[in-house]
Amino acid sequence: MKIALAQVLSTGDPQRNLAIIRDHAKQAAEAGAALIVFPEAMQVAFGNPVEKLAEPVNARWAGLLRQQARDHNIAIAAGMFTPGEGGRVRNTLLVVGPGVDTHYDKIHLYDAFGYLESDAVTPGDTPVQFELEDATIGLAICYDLRFPQLFVRNARAGAQINIVSASWGGGEGKAEQWKALAQARALDTTTFVIAVDQADPESVGRPLKGAAPLGVGYSMAVDPLGRVIAQAGREPELLIVDLDLNLVDEARRKLPVLANAVDL
């Protein structure tokens, strides 16, 4: 199964971001990918008034994303903001395309490193998996990557692949943590982990502003035994990986962590 990792930089303009999605989806489809994964906050980048731009998953922005998926015959996963509770939003990963139309609301909110996502975001409470071609795929967003139980829950529900859509906050050691956590979650679950971050704004000369998490880059695909099989740098980049799902069964025979786990 071919999956595209679109490490891009979203902007404060939802229409411009749709154009970025369109161009990358076209390239991915031409390369034979069944799914293209974009970062978190793809509808509108953090640091902008997301509460004013949030839309339901059946409204205009999501509808245009569905149209792009139809135009290019490819499934698209992209982060957006949907209405939440009490004036807050939900941090949502929307997946649309041939045979799939689902969304996941981020469960673990980024109240860490001096940032309080919960001030503006209502948390989700339900893990989500979907089927595409012959694969079951679990969903996660950014800070979720630090919580093994979500990935295990997806794996126990049949996931062979976990995708993580992120806008990973920068800082000392944060890029190293991103890589280590993606590898750890693959080993925890013997699944492929497809972790797609926003590119590092400074890599294209875009100055950082405020405390909003804007990305460090280093999107990667990790196999079920924790080996990095593809990785981007800091700059915008499109990666295409071809996953052999038979490796999941092979890894689970060698390393039966799901079967051996004991509830304590």
Side-chain angles (χ1 to χ4, degrees):
M1 180 182 187
K2 283 189 179 181
I3 296 180
L5 293 72
Q7 179 172 289
V8 299
L9 275 167
S10 62
T11 72
D13 181 351
Q15 289 303 117
R16 183 176 175 189
N17 295 334
L18 280 170
I20 294 170
I21 292 172
R22 178 198 64 214
D23 293 345
H24 286 77
K26 181 176 185 292
Q27 293 178 57
E30 289 173 348
L35 168 67
I36 181 168
V37 182
F38 287 91
E40 176 187 21
M42 195 62 218
Q43 174 200 22
V44 56
F46 283 113
N48 293 282
V50 299
E51 69 282 355
K52 296 179 180 178
L53 296 167
E55 294 182 2
V57 294
N58 59 355
R60 184 175 183 274
W61 194 86
L64 292 170
L65 195 71
R66 290 183 179 91
Q67 184 60 56
Q68 292 189 4
R70 287 192 294 269
D71 289 345
H72 300 296
N73 193 35
I74 189 172
I76 299 173
M80 65 178 295
F81 297 98
T82 55
E85 299 171 357
R88 295 184 293 171
V89 301
R90 294 185 188 275
N91 188 338
T92 299
L93 180 55
L94 178 65
V95 187
V96 294
V100 58
D101 194 324
T102 193
H103 67 278
Y104 162 73
D105 295 328
K106 186 178 184 183
I107 293 173
H108 301 97
L109 300 186
Y110 183 56
D111 287 0
F113 294 100
Y115 190 80
L116 290 175
E117 187 177 17
S118 61
D119 282 352
V121 177
T122 301
D125 58 13
T126 306
V128 174
Q129 309 85 34
F130 68 95
E131 307 291 327
L132 184 66
E133 294 190 344
D134 295 324
T136 301
I137 301 173
L139 299 178
I141 300 174
C142 203
Y143 193 52
D144 282 332
L145 187 60
R146 295 185 180 273
F147 299 89
Q149 59 268 37
L150 174 61
F151 292 76
V152 172
R153 175 78 173 268
N154 287 339
R156 292 199 183 283
Q160 301 127 307
I161 302 167
N162 276 294
I163 63 175
V164 185
S165 180
S167 186
W168 195 257
E172 184 178 357
K174 293 294 292 299
E176 291 80 4
Q177 292 171 33
W178 164 255
K179 179 178 178 181
L181 289 162
Q183 291 178 283
R185 297 298 80 82
L187 286 164
D188 290 337
T189 58
T190 47
T191 62
F192 286 98
V193 170
I194 304 297
V196 181
D197 191 23
Q198 296 264 352
D200 184 342
E202 292 187 319
S203 73
V204 296
R206 187 183 296 180
L208 299 178
K209 57 178 182 178
L214 298 177
V216 297
Y218 302 111
S219 298
M220 70 189 76
V222 185
D223 82 1
L225 289 175
R227 297 169 294 206
V228 176
I229 55 178
Q231 183 173 331
R234 296 169 55 230
E235 303 82 5
E237 187 172 349
L238 180 67
L239 299 175
I240 308 288
V241 294
D242 195 353
L243 307 184
D244 180 358
L245 298 182
N246 292 321
L247 291 179
V248 175
D249 292 334
E250 180 182 325
R252 289 176 180 175
R253 287 193 297 270
K254 292 178 178 178
L255 183 66
V257 289
L258 294 172
N260 292 345
V262 176
D263 292 330
L264 300 176

